[in-house]
């Protein structure tokens, strides 16, 4: 599902214009992003947990030349689904 489809779904479900629904979706996504930056995690009960994890530096390989390269350490976002989400996905 793309962001545009999600906006359309929110607009249809709640009788909003697409512009209003887009503002709401953007606000939610912005809130998740700022919580990850400032607190390192956000828990949405029944859905899952987004958290920031540290990835260590590692050795990699350039796929074009085969020459070894060092991949720098970085932060990444991890998502752990909640039990209700797991059950819903596995029910299909």
């Amino acid at each position: 599902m793309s962001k545009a489809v999600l906006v359309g779904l929110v607009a249809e479900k709640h009788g909003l214009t697409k512009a209003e629904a887009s503002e709401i979706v953007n606000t939610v996504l912005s809130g998740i992003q700022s919580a990850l930056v400032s607190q390192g995690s956000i828990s949405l009960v029944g859905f899952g947990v987004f958290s920031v994890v540290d990835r260590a530096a590692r050795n990699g390989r350039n796929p074009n030349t085969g020459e070894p390269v060092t991949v720098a350490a970085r932060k990444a976002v991890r998502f752990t689904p909640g039990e209700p989400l797991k059950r819903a996905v596995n029910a299909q």
Side-chain angles (χ1 to χ4, degrees):
M1 174 182 286
S2 68
K3 185 176 176 182
V5 173
L6 180 60
V7 166
L9 180 69
V10 170
E12 182 182 316
K13 179 110 174 149
H14 295 286
L16 303 170
T17 65
K18 285 192 177 183
E20 293 168 330
S22 178
E23 190 174 330
I24 291 169
V25 169
N26 287 335
T27 301
V28 170
L29 296 177
S30 175
I32 291 171
Q33 179 179 335
S34 56
L36 288 172
V37 169
S38 65
Q39 300 170 5
S41 70
I42 182 168
S43 176
L44 303 172
V45 176
F47 186 72
V49 177
F50 292 92
S51 59
V52 176
V53 295
D54 291 318
R55 297 270 170 104
R58 61 184 174 85
N59 293 323
R61 190 167 296 281
N62 181 329
N64 291 330
T65 64
E67 104 183 31
V69 295
T70 301
V71 179
R74 65 184 179 91
K75 293 182 183 283
V77 176
R78 176 178 289 160
F79 176 72
T80 305
E83 200 57 42
L85 179 58
K86 286 182 192 178
R87 281 196 302 270
V89 169
N90 286 313
Q92 296 181 5

CSV table of all heavy atoms in Angstrom, one decimal, residues 2 18 23-26 30 32 36 43 46 55 89:
chain,number,residue,atom,x,y,z
A,2,SER,N,0.6,2.2,-0.9
A,2,SER,CA,1.3,3.4,-0.9
A,2,SER,C,0.7,4.5,0.0
A,2,SER,O,-0.4,4.3,0.5
A,2,SER,CB,1.4,3.9,-2.3
A,2,SER,OG,0.1,4.4,-2.7
A,18,LYS,N,-9.3,14.6,0.6
A,18,LYS,CA,-7.9,13.9,0.5
A,18,LYS,C,-6.9,14.9,1.1
A,18,LYS,O,-5.9,14.4,1.7
A,18,LYS,CB,-7.6,13.6,-0.9
A,18,LYS,CG,-8.3,12.3,-1.4
A,18,LYS,CD,-7.8,11.8,-2.6
A,18,LYS,CE,-8.5,10.5,-3.0
A,18,LYS,NZ,-8.0,9.9,-4.2
A,23,GLU,N,-3.1,15.5,5.5
A,23,GLU,CA,-2.5,16.2,6.7
A,23,GLU,C,-2.5,15.4,7.9
A,23,GLU,O,-1.5,15.4,8.6
A,23,GLU,CB,-3.3,17.5,6.9
A,23,GLU,CG,-2.7,18.4,7.9
A,23,GLU,CD,-3.5,19.7,8.1
A,23,GLU,OE1,-4.1,20.2,7.1
A,23,GLU,OE2,-3.5,20.3,9.2
A,24,ILE,N,-3.5,14.6,8.1
A,24,ILE,CA,-3.6,13.7,9.3
A,24,ILE,C,-2.5,12.6,9.2
A,24,ILE,O,-1.8,12.3,10.1
A,24,ILE,CB,-5.0,13.1,9.4
A,24,ILE,CG1,-6.0,14.1,9.8
A,24,ILE,CG2,-5.0,11.9,10.4
A,24,ILE,CD1,-7.4,13.7,9.7
A,25,VAL,N,-2.4,12.0,8.0
A,25,VAL,CA,-1.4,10.9,7.8
A,25,VAL,C,0.0,11.5,8.0
A,25,VAL,O,0.9,10.9,8.6
A,25,VAL,CB,-1.6,10.2,6.4
A,25,VAL,CG1,-0.4,9.3,6.1
A,25,VAL,CG2,-2.9,9.4,6.3
A,26,ASN,N,0.3,12.6,7.4
A,26,ASN,CA,1.6,13.3,7.6
A,26,ASN,C,1.9,13.6,9.0
A,26,ASN,O,3.0,13.5,9.5
A,26,ASN,CB,1.7,14.5,6.7
A,26,ASN,CG,1.8,14.2,5.2
A,26,ASN,OD1,2.3,13.1,4.9
A,26,ASN,ND2,1.4,15.2,4.4
A,30,SER,N,5.0,12.0,11.0
A,30,SER,CA,5.9,13.0,11.6
A,30,SER,C,6.1,12.7,13.1
A,30,SER,O,7.2,12.8,13.6
A,30,SER,CB,5.4,14.4,11.3
A,30,SER,OG,6.3,15.3,11.9
A,32,ILE,N,5.7,9.8,14.6
A,32,ILE,CA,6.5,8.6,14.8
A,32,ILE,C,8.0,8.9,14.6
A,32,ILE,O,8.8,8.5,15.3
A,32,ILE,CB,6.0,7.5,13.8
A,32,ILE,CG1,4.6,7.0,14.2
A,32,ILE,CG2,7.0,6.3,13.7
A,32,ILE,CD1,4.0,6.1,13.1
A,36,LEU,N,11.0,8.6,17.4
A,36,LEU,CA,12.2,7.8,17.2
A,36,LEU,C,13.5,8.6,17.4
A,36,LEU,O,14.4,8.1,18.0
A,36,LEU,CB,12.2,7.1,15.8
A,36,LEU,CG,11.1,6.0,15.6
A,36,LEU,CD1,11.1,5.6,14.2
A,36,LEU,CD2,11.4,4.9,16.5
A,43,SER,N,5.8,2.7,20.9
A,43,SER,CA,5.0,1.5,21.0
A,43,SER,C,3.6,1.8,20.6
A,43,SER,O,3.0,2.7,21.3
A,43,SER,CB,5.1,1.0,22.4
A,43,SER,OG,4.3,-0.1,22.6
A,46,GLY,N,-1.0,-3.2,20.3
A,46,GLY,CA,-1.8,-4.0,19.3
A,46,GLY,C,-1.3,-4.0,17.9
A,46,GLY,O,-1.7,-4.7,17.1
A,55,ARG,N,23.8,-0.1,14.2
A,55,ARG,CA,24.4,-1.1,13.4
A,55,ARG,C,25.9,-0.9,13.4
A,55,ARG,O,26.4,0.2,13.2
A,55,ARG,CB,24.0,-1.0,11.9
A,55,ARG,CG,22.5,-1.3,11.7
A,55,ARG,CD,22.3,-2.8,11.5
A,55,ARG,NE,20.9,-3.1,11.5
A,55,ARG,CZ,20.1,-3.3,10.5
A,55,ARG,NH1,20.6,-3.2,9.2
A,55,ARG,NH2,18.8,-3.6,10.6
A,89,VAL,N,-2.1,-11.3,10.3
A,89,VAL,CA,-1.4,-11.6,9.1
A,89,VAL,C,-1.4,-13.1,8.9
A,89,VAL,O,-1.5,-13.6,7.7
A,89,VAL,CB,0.1,-11.0,9.2
A,89,VAL,CG1,0.9,-11.6,8.1
A,89,VAL,CG2,0.0,-9.5,9.2
